[in-house]
Amino acid sequence: MKRFAILCALALASCSSAPVAPTPVAQVDEDSFEKVTVRSPAQVCGTIAHAPKFVLDERLFTWGTKLDIKLPKGSLGSVEQKVFSWGMSFKMFDSQKTLVASAKQKVFSWGSHIELFDCNGNKFGSIKENVAKSWTKISTSYELLDAHDQKIGASNGRNFLETNFEIVDNQGRRVARLHRGWLNWLGDKWQVETFDRHFDSRMFMFIGAYKTAVDNARAAESSDSSSSSSSR
């Protein structure tokens, strides 16, 4: 028995002292890895609560066109023109000055085409402006498109002294109305009514801001032309 114990002890000692084979390590080909683009987390966009009635009130003495989105009591936010840009562009902010959405005119397009994006650059719609000119007036109408450029609505406009736009969907149902009086010495004031809460009211806000900015640009151009003519 003693001899057997000695033999076991010697066997254990030889096993413990035996060299351990290294674990094979796989060779990794770095070129075989797929490149992964790390995206920054999405920005939390500001929000503007739905309101059946609101006012787009133009600020005076500003650099570029700016309109406050007002309720009878309080403010929903603002739409502000970005002055130094290629093509007309705007940004919309909520009452806490958080970016809600942006609008940018496509420079290379047939007619005026304004694309609309949320704060993360995701397109949610477009506005197409159609202008008809005559000797006495300029008439404007708009088509509203979804994110895939499919028509979802249009305006029936009237531009004589005052401006009225009635927005209807593809079935002819009224979804919104924009009214601007003809006395605009203290800046434009758009009275906006919405009749379908499922229709994105940011489109109506951008229509008012864009129309005001375009009219301001045309008035400035006409004034410059008159000044040049009188100086000759």
Side-chain angles (χ1 to χ4, degrees):
M1 178 66 69
K2 185 175 180 181
R3 184 178 178 183
F4 177 75
I6 294 172
L7 290 174
C8 289
L10 291 173
L12 289 174
S14 62
C15 291
S16 62
S17 61
V20 179
T23 302
V25 178
Q27 297 297 315
V28 178
D29 182 6
E30 294 183 357
D31 294 334
S32 65
F33 274 99
E34 181 181 356
K35 292 183 179 179
V36 178
T37 302
V38 179
R39 299 184 182 275
S40 58
Q43 179 181 348
V44 178
C45 299
T47 57
I48 291 183
H50 172 80
K53 293 184 180 181
F54 57 88
V55 175
L56 300 175
D57 192 4
E58 184 183 8
R59 297 183 203 171
L60 297 179
F61 312 114
T62 61
W63 191 257
T65 298
K66 296 181 180 180
L67 291 92
D68 292 310
I69 310 167
K70 293 183 176 181
L71 296 172
K73 293 183 179 179
S75 171
L76 290 174
S78 62
V79 183
E80 304 180 10
Q81 182 183 6
K82 187 178 178 181
V83 179
F84 299 106
S85 64
W86 196 9
M88 201 169 282
S89 63
F90 301 86
K91 287 187 175 181
M92 182 183 296
F93 301 94
D94 65 12
S95 57
Q96 303 301 314
K97 208 59 180 177
T98 304
L99 181 64
V100 175
S102 61
K104 186 172 180 58
Q105 182 181 10
K106 289 181 68 174
V107 178
F108 301 107
S109 63
W110 184 259
S112 294
H113 190 136
I114 304 98
E115 294 184 307
L116 312 178
F117 305 91
D118 68 12
C119 76
N120 290 301
N122 301 309
K123 182 177 175 181
F124 66 86
S126 299
I127 301 168
K128 286 182 67 177
E129 181 190 40
N130 302 308
V131 179
K133 297 182 180 180
S134 67
W135 291 103
T136 57
K137 63 178 181 179
I138 298 176
S139 297
T140 308
S141 62
Y142 297 96
E143 291 182 18
L144 280 65
L145 313 176
D146 65 12
H148 306 290
D149 289 334
Q150 299 300 308
K151 182 180 176 181
I152 56 175
S155 72
N156 299 319
R158 187 172 74 249
N159 293 268
F160 181 71
L161 296 181
E162 59 186 21
T163 305
N164 288 286
F165 291 115
E166 189 172 83
I167 312 294
V168 297
D169 64 14
N170 291 341
Q171 286 71 44
R173 295 178 298 223
R174 183 173 61 171
V175 295
R177 177 178 176 271
L178 290 80
H179 167 78
R180 178 183 64 179
W182 67 281
L183 291 175
N184 303 319
W185 298 327
L186 298 178
D188 281 357
K189 192 181 294 288
W190 292 92
Q191 305 287 340
V192 184
E193 294 181 81
T194 62
F195 307 104
D196 185 347
R197 66 178 298 114
H198 299 102
F199 220 94
D200 197 331
S201 59
R202 293 176 296 180
M203 288 188 165
F204 314 140
M205 299 171 185
F206 278 126
I207 285 176
Y210 177 77
K211 175 63 174 170
T212 292
V214 168
D215 289 349
N216 288 345
R218 286 172 181 157
E221 184 179 346
S222 177
S223 178
D224 291 342
S225 299
S226 300
S227 299
S228 300
S229 300
S230 61
S231 63
R232 290 176 182 174

